[in-house]
Amino acid sequence: MKKIKIQLSFSRKNEINRFQRKLEKDGFPRVQMSLLVFITSGIAFLTSYTLLSKGLNSMPIRYFIVCLVAYGVFLLLLWLWLRTKAEDFIDLGDTGNLPQIDILPPNLDFNGGGGEFGGAGASGSIDDSPSIGFMGNDENPVIEAIGAAGEAEEFALPLIVLIIIVTVVLSSVFVIYSAPILFAELMVDSLLAAGLYRKLKGTQTQHWLSTAIKRTICPFLITTVVSTISGYFLQLYEPTANSIGDILTIINATSK
């Protein structure tokens, strides 16, 4: 019994590899995934903007909700992508051999808008204090320590913003780069669940959603954690800021 399961698992892997090669040869899976990621980013921006306009000024809470909504939208887009292949799945019929499928990329003509989390806020600046002598010395160690702390805080804001941007970009690149294997697995699991593989009829099937989550949960989880924690520290440094747009305005003002 164990030997049969190993053989079936190997066959499923072969089918995934075959679908992946076909997609990479005849389709544009990474371009398609780029469109899905772009649409997801646009929905995330609109969600953040809507929550902010409704009075949710807490950046960590808002970014946490935005990431959850964005992930749900992304999974929905994957489902829509699979739905565009539904007719091809049905046309395969109940054949005795492994189906040879001519996979054409779905025509996705989405026009979405993306952007950054924006908003308006107030900022404050600390004027340079006059030098105060300490025990006759021109350099006061207390003043130097305060100045060093001020410089560290000044660099903290752009550093946190950079961390958020790098995390989002790297997560997006990972999802786009792994698009061929993800799409191939989704296709094969959909065929197996529909019972269109007679030779693989005995294999254990799993829902496409389980496959999608398994392949994409890590980058979205990392983005959620980093965005939430970064939002907390950004608002801790600048309590008057309600968005990344406010932070960028403050950084621009202090750099002049």
Side-chain angles (χ1 to χ4, degrees), residues 78-155:
L78 288 181
W79 176 78
L80 292 175
W81 187 89
L82 278 175
R83 290 285 294 177
T84 62
K85 305 299 297 179
E87 293 184 0
D88 294 337
F89 295 161
I90 295 175
D91 291 341
L92 291 174
D94 188 11
T95 60
N97 299 321
L98 291 177
Q100 300 296 324
I101 303 174
D102 185 15
I103 303 173
L104 297 176
N107 295 323
L108 295 177
D109 188 17
F110 293 97
N111 291 321
E116 300 174 345
F117 298 111
S123 61
S125 61
I126 302 176
D127 295 330
D128 295 332
S129 301
S131 300
I132 302 176
F134 181 71
M135 296 181 65
N137 295 330
D138 293 336
E139 296 183 357
N140 191 330
V142 176
I143 299 300
E144 289 181 358
I146 295 176
E151 291 180 0
E153 183 173 340
E154 180 180 351
F155 284 106

Side-chain angles (χ1 to χ4, degrees), residues 2-16 200 203-204:
K2 184 182 294 186
K3 186 175 181 180
I4 295 177
K5 287 184 178 180
I6 294 176
Q7 182 179 357
L8 291 174
S9 177
F10 179 73
S11 298
R12 177 181 179 275
K13 183 178 180 181
N14 284 345
E15 284 304 294
I16 292 174
L200 299 181
T203 190
Q204 183 178 1

Side-chain angles (χ1 to χ4, degrees), residues 201-245:
K201 190 175 181 180
T203 190
Q204 183 178 1
T205 62
Q206 61 182 15
H207 198 271
W208 70 268
L209 184 59
S210 176
T211 301
I213 293 176
K214 181 181 67 176
R215 284 283 179 181
T216 60
I217 188 63
C218 285
F220 272 93
L221 185 61
I222 292 173
T223 301
T224 301
V225 172
V226 171
S227 299
T228 302
I229 295 177
S230 298
Y232 170 78
F233 281 106
L234 286 175
Q235 216 156 32
L236 182 65
Y237 280 117
E238 289 292 341
T240 59
N242 297 324
S243 66
I244 293 293

Side-chain angles (χ1 to χ4, degrees), residues 16-218:
I16 292 174
N17 292 335
R18 185 169 68 86
F19 271 72
Q20 181 180 353
R21 290 192 298 268
K22 189 70 173 176
L23 280 169
E24 291 176 331
K25 179 182 178 181
D26 300 336
F28 304 92
R30 291 188 176 93
V31 174
Q32 297 170 36
M33 183 60 76
S34 297
L35 290 175
L36 300 187
V37 171
F38 181 74
I39 295 171
T40 302
S41 301
I43 297 298
F45 169 76
L46 291 177
T47 301
S48 180
Y49 178 81
T50 301
L51 292 176
L52 183 60
S53 64
K54 296 297 182 180
L56 184 55
N57 297 327
S58 174
M59 293 174 66
I61 296 177
R62 191 171 72 251
Y63 290 169
F64 179 79
I65 296 175
V66 166
C67 289
L68 292 183
V69 172
Y71 191 46
V73 169
F74 179 75
L75 294 176
L76 177 61
L77 292 175
L78 288 181
W79 176 78
L80 292 175
W81 187 89
L82 278 175
R83 290 285 294 177
T84 62
K85 305 299 297 179
E87 293 184 0
D88 294 337
F89 295 161
I90 295 175
D91 291 341
L92 291 174
D94 188 11
T95 60
N97 299 321
L98 291 177
Q100 300 296 324
I101 303 174
D102 185 15
I103 303 173
L104 297 176
N107 295 323
L108 295 177
D109 188 17
F110 293 97
N111 291 321
E116 300 174 345
F117 298 111
S123 61
S125 61
I126 302 176
D127 295 330
D128 295 332
S129 301
S131 300
I132 302 176
F134 181 71
M135 296 181 65
N137 295 330
D138 293 336
E139 296 183 357
N140 191 330
V142 176
I143 299 300
E144 289 181 358
I146 295 176
E151 291 180 0
E153 183 173 340
E154 180 180 351
F155 284 106
L157 291 178
L159 178 60
I160 296 175
V161 173
L162 180 62
I163 290 174
I164 295 177
I165 295 175
V166 170
T167 301
V168 173
V169 170
L170 291 180
S171 298
S172 301
V173 169
F174 174 82
V175 173
I176 293 172
Y177 180 79
S178 60
I181 184 66
L182 172 60
F183 285 151
E185 280 199 69
L186 294 179
M187 287 183 177
V188 172
D189 287 338
S190 296
L191 288 173
L192 287 173
L196 298 180
Y197 273 121
R198 287 184 58 186
K199 285 192 174 183
L200 299 181
K201 190 175 181 180
T203 190
Q204 183 178 1
T205 62
Q206 61 182 15
H207 198 271
W208 70 268
L209 184 59
S210 176
T211 301
I213 293 176
K214 181 181 67 176
R215 284 283 179 181
T216 60
I217 188 63
C218 285

